Amino acid sequence: MGPNIDASIALVAIAPFVAAALAPLLHRFTNPLSGWVLALVPAAIFVFLLTLIDPVLADGAISARIGWVPAYGLDLSFFVDGLSLTFALTISGIGTLIVIYSGAYLAGHQHLGRFLAFLLAFMGAMLGLVLADNMLGLFMFWELTAITSFLLIGFDAVRAAARRGAIQALVITNIGGMALLAGVILVHQLTGSWELSDLLGPGRGLQDNGLYGLVLACFIIAAFTKSAQFPLHFWLPNAMEAPTPVSAFLHSATMVQAGVYLLARATPWLGHTVAWTTILVCFGGVTLLWGALGSLKQTDLKQMLAQSTIASLGLLVLLIGLGTETAIAGMVIYFVAHALYKAGLFMVVGAIDHEAGTREITALGGLSGKMPVTFAAAILAGLSMFGLPPAIAFFAKEEMYLNLFAPHWQDLSVLAVLIAGNALLAAVGALVVIKPFLGALAPTPKSAHEAPIGLLAGPIVLGVAGIAAALLVGWFGHVVLEPAATAILNEPFKSHLTWAIDLTKPVIWLSLATWVFAVLAYRYAATIRTLLRRFDTALGWNADSVFDAVMFGLIRFAGAVTRGLHHGRLELYLVTVFSLLALALIVPLFALGGIDALLPTAELGNWAAKLSWPNLSPYEWGVIVLALVGLGAIVAAPNRLYSILALGVQGTAVALIFLMFGAPDLAFTQFMVEILSVVILALVMTRLNLDERDHRPFEDWARDGTLALVCGVGVSLLLMVVLSGTLDTRLSDFFIATSVPIAHGANIVNVILVDYRGFDTLGEISVLMAAGISIMVLLRSRRKPVPVGSPVPQAPVVPKIKPKAAKAKTVGTKSADTAKSADTKPAGTDAAKPANAAATPRTGSAAKQKPAAGKPAAAKPKSPAVKAVSAAKKPATRSARKRSAP
């Protein structure tokens, strides 16, 4: 198309993230209208996508590409065909109404700006997913949907249920994300391409490849976790802990539809096999019935809609598995119809909860008089869910049943499942629309009244859209159905949707049978609910409880592993590290033939020539002797202080070796390291007894000595092997050639550390700084030990005085009251006291009491320590002194 259209398509995926970053700031300035203002972003995206309909109808697809990682040939490419355009229009269109709805639903919430940011990022992730052509880009957006949904589901983080629902959704969908990554890498290895569009050509399918089963398993696991297929469906009802706008968006056009999109996109190059059809049809059928029955079991309106979403997702997967033209047509129509009516019904339920204060269907009734506009919106959405004309869902049901009325038992079984599932879903739709609004007016926690326009705009527009699509069925078939079905089937598809009804064909009668069963299910919904709950009680467990048990076991196992590996014994950590170092050195040298490089050859002569000592000067011999002295001092050090000093001697010898062999900068660095090491170690060791010698058993001495010898021999042999080879100077030549012109530094070593390895050096400095701060904090946090035998200070004891004549209000400090309550005298101790001993009450604190006879009234103040010792040695009161007297 051109660079302009490429940039515009890329902007579609990027714009929601930009809006998300600005949402909290915009919310501050447009607080009452923040939902309406931010809705302009998805509305603009929706309008732009509408302009792509004609190019897609004319050319079949539009590609856009942005340079991503050119060194590896990776581009962030986008691909717009009928399938991705249908999903993108649904996401942006419904997203516009959801953002408006969110501003009204959470009006006045202190974190509304943050919520809108999460919602827009969620929308951007889903748009990027359905538009991505590069499979790694698809995976990236796939994971972004999981992260943003986690933030939205757990938005009300103060509630444990919200946190649990968010974690459960993240865990389950991330399992699918890892499976998707494995499948994407496998597909790239088998086809040599990262682009989905490259897999649509003739002969590019993987059905005949030997690894087809593995690729199929990866993609199916990814799709089943995301689209809540049985038995991985249980996370979706728990996601209802999110605010209602999230539920409306997640269940209609985002997140859960990602798995459906992935299966539809992979149909041309993974579908139409026995394994594909069997797995998708069987699991989709079970999910359809399980979700529909689970929906009838609920009385919470949001939970009823959530369980019905599971059933609808199973229906979509089943139709993709069938793979026939009519099944794919039914899948496309039902996807659009389901998105419209499910988002509308969730918004209606949110309005009921917002204005009436409850979502419990058994506590609602007669709201049609209080909320007439909301009731009208519910009727429009309910027509689609029931599958009645004039709603677009009517045609979806017709397409599903077409060509399944055949003499084969497989087709008849699938037809029976479809009829039963559609009938149960229709009954749920009737319950959601009829029970809360008709009948006698039930008392509700809040005085019900009509919802504001922000809550009503979404369901009304979506309900009207569902009817308008059916009334303009010819246009819908040409603009929406044909390009989307063509993209899934990878061959031209012509729509045959029409309002002409042929009573001689069984399709219309199958629809009538569906409606009859739906009415019966609605009529006996209470009985069905009771039976299903009894079944749950008898079963005693469900997938949700299994998940909790698995997570509990996983946490216990992780804790056991952590305690085993991180036991806190530094000695064992060092033994493990050096044992692995010894293996890494010795195994390649001997097992892989590395030691062969040291064998004498005709050119090198014998071993004596190779191991001969170099001609050293006296001062060089002095440095070697200093190193040996340092080594001996370390081994023979009588205590910790000598060990620290011996380490300094050894390090100084290494620095002198660097200095003698032409590396003064390294020598200077080594000197600094040794000085700082000795000083820091000495400062740290001042907290310990430096004159002690650590006792080490013989087995520890033998183990550590063996490890030290093996590591030393291994390092020596490795260096000999390296030196016996040919020196490759390409890297050093590069540093020499580029040090001055690029890094503007003549000191090559410094340039390497600061420029070429700048982040590495920064990381090392950060680690050292963090370690130093941690050591300082630990040293400062150590409490001073209390000497053995020190007296423990006691609180002063105030005598309990009970006046006879009158009750006087006692004035005292809090400590005195505490001491009184703690004074537990044995019974009968003061029973023989004369009555006049307490006849005159003394009020006030203990400090104001009359001093004992023979003692001065005022005494020299004592220090707190002396007071504490005195209090510990001498009873505080006269009665206590009497009791303690011999």
Side-chain angles (χ1 to χ4, degrees), residues 324-697:
T324 61
E325 286 193 358
T326 55
I328 295 301
M331 173 261 161
V332 173
I333 301 170
Y334 187 74
F335 164 76
V336 176
H338 173 264
L340 296 176
Y341 78 69
K342 187 57 63 71
L345 286 178
F346 264 112
M347 292 183 191
V348 167
V349 169
I352 294 173
D353 188 21
H354 195 273
E355 306 305 331
T358 181
R359 301 192 306 257
E360 191 68 21
I361 195 172
T362 57
L364 292 170
L367 293 179
S368 58
K370 298 286 186 179
M371 308 174 69
V373 181
T374 306
F375 181 43
I379 292 176
L380 293 175
L383 288 176
S384 288
M385 191 168 184
F386 204 86
L388 287 172
I392 191 63
F394 168 75
F395 294 96
K397 182 162 44 57
E398 300 290 298
E399 292 293 315
M400 294 177 201
Y401 297 158
L402 201 61
N403 296 335
L404 281 178
F405 196 75
H408 306 290
W409 70 269
Q410 297 94 334
D411 294 335
L412 293 176
S413 300
V414 173
L415 181 62
V417 170
L418 288 175
I419 293 175
N422 284 323
L424 294 174
L425 286 175
V428 173
L431 288 170
V432 172
V433 173
I434 296 175
K435 289 293 185 180
F437 292 100
L438 299 183
L441 180 63
T444 53
K446 294 170 63 176
S447 179
H449 55 84
E450 190 57 85
I453 184 62
L455 298 181
L456 294 177
I460 292 174
V461 171
L462 294 176
V464 172
I467 303 300
L471 297 178
L472 303 173
V473 68
W475 174 87
F476 180 86
H478 175 66
V479 172
V480 178
L481 177 58
E482 287 183 1
T486 299
I488 298 173
L489 296 170
N490 203 25
E491 59 185 24
F493 174 84
K494 295 300 292 182
S495 171
H496 54 265
L497 297 182
T498 177
W499 275 107
I501 297 177
D502 189 355
L503 296 178
T504 62
K505 292 184 178 180
V507 175
I508 186 63
W509 301 106
L510 294 175
S511 295
L512 288 173
T514 303
W515 295 328
V516 169
F517 290 134
V519 172
L520 292 175
Y522 172 82
R523 175 68 178 80
Y524 297 102
T527 303
I528 296 174
R529 183 185 306 125
T530 302
L531 293 176
L532 290 174
R533 291 186 173 182
R534 287 179 180 175
F535 174 77
D536 279 355
T537 304
L539 190 62
W541 61 272
N542 52 31
D544 210 19
S545 59
V546 172
F547 174 83
D548 289 339
V550 171
M551 289 299 295
F552 178 76
L554 181 62
I555 293 172
R556 292 289 298 271
F557 174 74
V561 172
T562 302
R563 288 189 296 272
L565 296 178
H566 299 280
H567 39 69
R569 297 182 60 186
L570 179 60
E571 179 186 6
L572 295 184
Y573 291 157
L574 294 176
V575 168
T576 303
V577 170
F578 282 101
S579 298
L580 294 176
L581 175 61
L583 290 175
L585 291 170
I586 299 300
V587 171
L589 285 173
F590 291 94
L592 302 180
I595 200 67
D596 295 343
L598 298 179
L599 295 178
T601 60
E603 294 80 8
L604 295 176
N606 55 25
W607 277 102
K610 295 190 68 173
L611 298 178
S612 62
W613 283 96
N615 187 16
L616 300 177
S617 60
Y619 66 87
E620 292 173 339
W621 279 109
V623 173
I624 292 177
V625 170
L626 180 63
L628 294 175
V629 170
L631 177 62
I634 293 173
V635 175
N639 53 47
R640 297 168 183 167
L641 180 60
Y642 280 98
S643 298
I644 295 173
L645 297 176
L647 282 174
V649 173
Q650 188 73 9
T652 303
V654 174
L656 291 174
I657 292 174
F658 287 149
L659 186 62
M660 289 187 301
F661 287 94
D665 47 359
L666 292 180
F668 177 76
T669 303
Q670 183 69 25
F671 277 127
M672 294 298 101
V673 169
E674 291 305 320
I675 293 172
L676 290 175
S677 298
V678 172
V679 172
I680 292 174
L681 285 174
L683 289 175
V684 172
M685 289 300 180
T686 55
R687 298 301 183 105
L688 304 174
N689 296 323
L690 295 178
D691 56 347
E692 285 188 3
R693 180 180 178 88
D694 295 324
H695 173 70
R696 306 189 67 197

